Amino acid sequence: TNTALKTFGRVKITDDGTAVPGKDGKVEVEVLATLNPGKEEYQWDDFDFDKEGTAYVAMAGSGGRAIGTISPDGDVEVLFTKVIRGPTSVHVVEKEGMRKKLYITTNGNGGQVVEAVL
């Protein structure tokens, strides 16, 4: 995530985690999604992916707080707002026969871990 540019992107890396430079020797970022004007009050923070490649993202900012998704096609959706105080990170847990769960860390009330069942 890039808060200043309001973008969500990816960078090619090697097996050891080193960024792969592009043709001009600089690392190239592929932008997958950009926050549109209707969601500009939010800023993306940390995220995790589900098995289908959808990113679940902690969203916070002057306009509120939320948990959102970014589909593999770059579609941005806000799942719920103002329920969790100060979301900073999301972890997705998927187990066969169980509903998908999100574990969300916060910076509110001294920091908490909140479970959301989808």
Side-chain angles (χ1 to χ4, degrees), residues 29-42:
V29 177
E30 178 186 2
V31 175
L32 301 175
T34 303
L35 281 173
N36 66 33
K39 296 178 181 76
E40 282 188 4
E41 67 269 15
Y42 296 113

Side-chain angles (χ1 to χ4, degrees), residues 2 13 57 81 83 90 94 111 115:
N2 184 314
I13 60 171
V57 187
T81 62
V83 175
V90 179
E94 296 180 276
E115 178 185 70

Side-chain angles (χ1 to χ4, degrees), residues 42 56-57 59 65-69 77-84 87 90 102 104 114-118:
Y42 296 113
Y56 288 78
V57 187
M59 302 169 75
R65 53 201 177 267
I67 300 299
T69 61
E77 181 181 348
V78 176
L79 293 181
F80 46 89
T81 62
K82 300 181 183 176
V83 175
I84 298 170
V90 179
L102 304 180
I104 304 157
V114 179
E115 178 185 70
V117 180
L118 302 180

Side-chain angles (χ1 to χ4, degrees), residues 11-21:
V11 175
K12 289 184 182 183
I13 60 171
T14 63
D15 289 340
D16 69 358
T18 304
V20 176

Side-chain angles (χ1 to χ4, degrees), residues 8 10 31-34 44 48-50 52-57 68-78:
F8 181 85
R10 65 181 169 194
V31 175
L32 301 175
T34 303
W44 287 323
D48 194 13
F49 295 97
D50 69 8
E52 291 79 36
T54 297
Y56 288 78
V57 187
T69 61
I70 304 170
S71 75
D73 295 330
D75 295 324
V76 178
E77 181 181 348
V78 176

Side-chain angles (χ1 to χ4, degrees), residues 106-113:
T106 74
N107 62 11
N109 296 329
Q112 298 178 356
V113 177

